[in-house]
Amino acid sequence: MPDPVQGGILIVDDTPNNLRFLSTTLTEHGYKVRSVTSGQMALTVAQAAQPELILLDIKMPHMDGYEVCQRLKSSSRTQEIPVIFLSALDEVIDKVKAFNVGGVDYITKPFQLEEVLARIENQLDLRRAKAEVQTLNAELEHRVRQRTIQLEHEIAERQRAQDKLLHLALHDSLTGLPNRTWFMKRVGQVLDRARQHGSYLFAVLLLDCDRFKVVNDSLGHLAGDQLLVAVARRIETCLTPGTTLARLGGDEFTILIDDVANLEDAISVAERIQQDLRMPFQLGQYETFTNVSIGIVLGGKQYEQPEHLLRDADAAMYQAKGEGKAGYRVFDSSLHKRAMARLELETDLQRALDRQEFVVHYQPIVSLHDGSLSGFEALVRWHHPRLGMIPPSQFVPVAEETGLVVPIDLWVMRQACHQLRLWQENWERSHPITMAVNLSVQHFIHANLMAEIDDILTETGLSGRSLRIEITESAIMKNAEFATVILEQLKARQIQFSIDDFGTGYSSLSYLHQFPVDGLKIDRSFVSNIQARDQNLKIVQTIIALADTLNMSAIAEGIETHQQLALLQSLGCEYGQGFYFSKPLAADEAADLFQAPQPWPLSS
Ligand code: C2E
Ligand code: MG
Ligand code: MG
């Protein structure tokens, strides 16, 4: 059986004349035509090969056109085929029924050729247009599907790029650890939690590598980087779940321990890390060691800002570092208060010189042979506008650390030299008296000390012989080589020199006899505890003998009682200074001493 012809027009009519006429005419007009004479045949043919259009006679025996049309419409294979009904003029065509069963048009007999062609062409056009719309729709759908896939791909790509950026923004590129930003966010989160659940505790540890700078400077930055990575990896192995390590920058790391029961939990983490870091690190061919100093803070709802935790951990870490390497220290709030007070003092100290808040007091130095005034020691005092009088023991160490001690010392020296010069002009004396000034020597290492001293002497007109410099024994021993240079220069100017607080600084005898020293000031701690037949007495006795041997004078500090004075005199101590004679005095009070002929009548 040949393949049924697809497409074309199917004519269904039981009247052979009609069939022939339509078939011939349509064929002549170029249509492909098939014809059948019954409804049953029409259904069979249409199922086998769908025509593009069916011309269907209504009135037929056995099965009329309406029923044929209904059946065509109920099958999925044929339901789309347009059906034009054919009816005789004298028949009453039930148009409503014709459309209800699925017909699209009708033609009445006898056929008007133009009308038939026009209606057929109309339906075929419509059908073609529908088909075209369908193809376009299908194409569009396909394109939409393609584009959707493409967009999904692009979105995923963009998401990946965004994730990468986010990762970069929150991580340290060297170690791959979370960075400071990430860490602070995380601390913010646990703080929120602490505020919601009052009993919730967490811990922040701040770790700073000891000796890292040494490795970096000696082996180079590349090795330094390697060491940081190795340290990070080793610390990670000490951490339990719920604990996160981040790199703050440089050689500083930080750890957040989520949900700790107590301080001991945090301490045991710190101890474990320090224990593990004791093993050496292999950097290429070098084996090197580093450990960390750790500051620990227990965090809870009392903290308001994440930064405050880091600040306190930092303060504790610095304390740990100050107490020696590879230690840890737990923060307590007194540490913060102390740090704040210290900071305030530093700031105020900066302004004190400009605001002329310093004054110099003068403590007499007395000859223990005859009670005569041999000189003064200039001692600085700070009149703080809010805190009142601050003793040098509290602010000199701060001034030394900040470097402010240099201008302060020079100011005191200028003041004291000027004062002595005034006294010399007012009171001619048989015995020349000296002015002793304290210097914090280590800060003059890079400064132009001698030129400054020369300026002061020239400015005030005081002779070098009248000036005496005091430097503490410990400061000299720390800078022994440099001190030798300074002392030579002082000697060249006839400026005298005493070692202050002698006996406390472990002087090496070999140095001592090299130095051109004029006096040893026996530290107050020996003098105040001096008693007959006791250890201190022997020490003082030894110092006096040493001074005598080296051709220096001994000056006893802190004489407070008559008994101390008597003992010192019996040991042959040359000079003395202390509350027994006088406290440090303001300049006008000190001036009174010049008028008294014998302020301290001693029985020697
Ligand atoms: P120093 O040079 O050993 O000064 C002696 C200290 O002992 C002074 O304390 C003085 O007031 C105190 N003193 C004297 N006699 C007695 C006594 O009988 N009993 C007691 N308890 N104390 C006595 P001050 O003025 O508080 O000075 C403390 C230290 O501060 C000084 O020790 C000195 O090292 C340093 N200092 C003072 N003024 C200056 C300065 O202008 N520059 C530098 N760099 N340091 C200074
Ligand atoms: Mg002194
Ligand atoms: Mg002293």
Side-chain angles (χ1 to χ4, degrees):
M1 217 174 118
D3 270 352
V5 189
Q6 196 79 24
I9 299 174
L10 175 66
I11 307 168
V12 189
D13 203 321
D14 61 325
T15 319
N17 277 346
N18 282 347
L19 259 187
R20 205 175 310 122
F21 170 73
L22 281 174
S23 169
T24 323
T25 324
L26 292 179
T27 309
E28 275 170 11
H29 278 83
Y31 292 103
K32 197 163 77 181
V33 176
R34 284 177 287 163
S35 20
V36 293
T37 52
S38 74
Q40 190 55 58
M41 281 164 70
L43 290 174
T44 312
V45 169
Q47 280 288 336
Q50 288 87 40
E52 277 178 280
L53 178 69
I54 300 177
L55 300 180
L56 178 60
D57 187 22
I58 293 176
K59 204 164 165 217
M60 289 185 296
H62 310 302
M63 195 191 295
D64 69 7
Y66 297 132
E67 196 182 338
V68 176
C69 187
Q70 222 161 12
R71 290 201 189 186
L72 284 168
K73 295 295 158 188
S74 63
S75 156
S76 63
R77 281 176 69 81
T78 53
Q79 64 185 1
E80 292 298 326
I81 307 167
V83 173
I84 298 178
F85 284 116
L86 306 173
S87 79
L89 195 58
D90 53 347
E91 286 167 19
V92 185
I93 171 166
D94 187 344
K95 293 173 192 156
V96 175
K97 192 171 179 188
F99 287 115
N100 272 349
V101 295
V104 291
D105 205 351
Y106 60 90
I107 303 170
T108 46
K109 304 174 203 173
F111 301 117
Q112 299 287 308
L113 187 60
E114 273 81 33
E115 191 196 348
V116 172
L117 289 175
R119 286 181 190 257
I120 287 174
E121 205 43 42
N122 209 8
Q123 282 310 319
L124 288 178
D125 277 351
L126 203 65
R127 196 172 148 78
R128 278 186 218 114
K130 259 192 196 165
E132 206 170 313
V133 168
Q134 262 173 2
T135 345
L136 283 177
N137 272 347
E139 217 169 272
L140 193 65
E141 233 169 76
H142 176 74
R143 292 223 315 255
V144 167
R145 227 175 297 129
Q146 291 288 90
R147 186 75 188 119
T148 308
I149 293 170
Q150 201 180 341
L151 279 177
E152 278 170 357
H153 189 73
E154 277 170 24
I155 289 171
E157 196 93 306
R158 190 166 304 182
Q159 189 62 46
R160 260 195 300 278
Q162 258 170 13
D163 289 352
K164 195 170 166 190
L165 262 183
L166 198 65
H167 184 89
L168 282 178
L170 296 178
H171 287 78
D172 161 47
S173 58
L174 178 67
T175 57
L177 292 174
N179 63 12
R180 185 192 197 95
T181 315
W182 183 96
F183 189 78
M184 293 319 275
K185 270 193 189 160
R186 187 82 187 85
V187 174
Q189 286 166 1
V190 291
L191 258 187
D192 284 344
R193 201 164 138 201
R195 279 187 213 114
Q196 280 158 17
H197 312 277
S199 59
Y200 170 76
L201 287 178
F202 61 95
V204 170
L205 274 62
L206 197 141
L207 300 77
D208 187 283
C209 293
D210 302 327
R211 296 186 63 253
F212 178 73
K213 204 175 144 18
V214 179
V215 175
N216 221 24
D217 290 349
S218 56
L219 302 184
H221 289 268
L222 210 63
D225 283 356
Q226 279 176 357
L227 181 61
L228 286 175
V229 175
V231 167
R233 295 291 91 88
R234 200 172 296 172
I235 294 175
E236 276 175 332
T237 62
C238 306
L239 303 181
T240 48
T243 311
T244 31
L245 174 68
R247 182 174 171 220
L248 278 191
D251 59 349
E252 280 189 341
F253 296 91
T254 180
I255 291 173
L256 176 69
I257 313 177
D258 198 4
D259 207 0
V260 294
N262 50 39
L263 197 56
E264 274 62 47
D265 283 2
I267 290 180
S268 66
V269 173
E271 283 174 343
R272 166 106 202 263
I273 291 171
Q274 287 174 335
Q275 171 72 35
D276 278 28
L277 289 180
R278 270 188 211 138
M279 305 283 285
F281 290 90
Q282 193 69 41
L283 300 182
Q285 67 200 83
Y286 299 104
E287 193 172 72
T288 182
F289 289 87
T290 188
N291 212 314
V292 287
S293 297
I294 304 179
I296 304 174
V297 182
L298 204 56
K301 62 176 190 300
Q302 79 275 19
Y303 275 98
E304 278 176 10
Q305 288 180 24
E307 289 75 18
H308 293 171
L309 280 140
L310 215 55
R311 173 199 68 197
D312 291 351
D314 198 51
M317 188 277 291
Y318 266 100
Q319 264 241 321
K321 218 163 234 235
E323 287 162 6
K325 312 283 171 182
Y328 63 82
R329 178 78 188 202
V330 178
F331 175 81
D332 72 281
S333 56
S334 67
L335 212 63
H336 175 59
K337 284 196 199 110
R338 242 181 294 155
M340 286 303 288
R342 165 69 199 253
L343 188 70
E344 240 173 83
L345 197 70
E346 252 181 59
T347 324
D348 291 349
L349 204 55
Q350 302 266 2
R351 304 196 197 107
L353 259 181
D354 294 338
R355 297 187 181 172
Q356 308 196 328
E357 290 169 4
F358 293 115
V359 278
V360 184
H361 280 194
Y362 302 92
Q363 189 175 35
I365 295 171
V366 179
S367 156
L368 300 191
H369 296 308
D370 59 6
S372 64
L373 177 68
S374 100
F376 289 97
E377 176 174 8
L379 294 159
V380 68
R381 269 95 189 88
W382 179 12
H383 273 295
H384 190 285
R386 198 163 36 81
L387 302 173
M389 188 72 96
I390 303 182
S393 56
Q394 275 178 34
F395 69 87
V396 169
V398 180
E400 283 179 340
E401 270 179 48
T402 53
L404 273 171
V405 76
V406 176
I408 294 175
D409 278 358
L410 290 172
W411 180 85
V412 170
M413 186 185 285
R414 182 170 276 110
Q415 223 30 46
C417 290
H418 179 67
Q419 187 60 65
L420 181 58
R421 185 75 198 110
L422 282 182
W423 286 333
Q424 285 175 343
E425 281 166 9
N426 288 343
W427 291 282
E428 281 292 330
R429 289 178 62 92
S430 47
H431 286 305
I433 68 165
T434 54
M435 180 61 77
V437 173
N438 295 283
L439 280 192
S440 287
V441 74
Q442 59 268 52
H443 289 279
F444 283 101
I445 290 175
H446 301 292
N448 201 2
L449 175 62
M450 281 308 143
E452 301 274 11
I453 294 179
D454 288 342
D455 279 355
I456 289 172
L457 292 178
T458 318
E459 238 173 72
T460 58
L462 194 75
S463 122
R465 252 174 293 142
S466 304
L467 180 61
R468 184 183 272 262
I469 303 265
E470 291 186 9
I471 295 178
T472 61
E473 185 185 14
S474 49
I476 295 175
M477 287 306 137
K478 264 190 239 155
N479 306 278
E481 314 229 320
F482 180 70
T484 318
V485 180
I486 291 190
L487 296 193
E488 292 298 343
Q489 291 173 333
L490 291 178
K491 198 177 169 67
R493 290 160 175 78
Q494 294 186 300
I495 298 171
Q496 300 185 57
F497 178 76
S498 301
I499 299 183
D500 208 347
D501 303 345
F502 191 81
T504 58
Y506 313 103
S507 275
S508 141
L509 276 179
S510 62
Y511 269 126
L512 198 57
H513 88 96
Q514 278 174 30
F515 290 152
V517 175
D518 302 287
L520 299 180
K521 294 193 79 171
I522 306 167
D523 192 69
R524 196 176 78 222
S525 57
F526 305 115
V527 175
S528 55
N529 295 318
I530 194 172
Q531 266 155 25
R533 287 187 304 280
D534 108 323
Q535 189 77 13
N536 282 317
L537 184 80
K538 285 186 195 141
I539 295 175
V540 173
Q541 193 173 13
T542 313
I543 297 175
I544 294 170
L546 182 69
D548 198 36
T549 315
L550 296 174
N551 214 12
M552 304 169 184
S553 50
I555 305 136
E557 292 186 315
I559 305 173
E560 289 184 353
T561 65
H562 181 75
Q563 194 206 3
Q564 292 163 354
L565 169 66
L567 280 169
L568 287 161
Q569 281 180 311
S570 72
L571 296 174
C573 183
E574 214 171 331
Y575 298 102
Q577 177 184 355
F579 294 172
Y580 176 79
F581 301 113
S582 167
K583 294 203 165 184
L585 303 168
D588 51 346
E589 296 170 318
D592 293 344
L593 294 175
F594 290 95
Q595 277 148 323
Q598 182 66 344
W600 304 285
L602 298 182
S603 51
S604 50

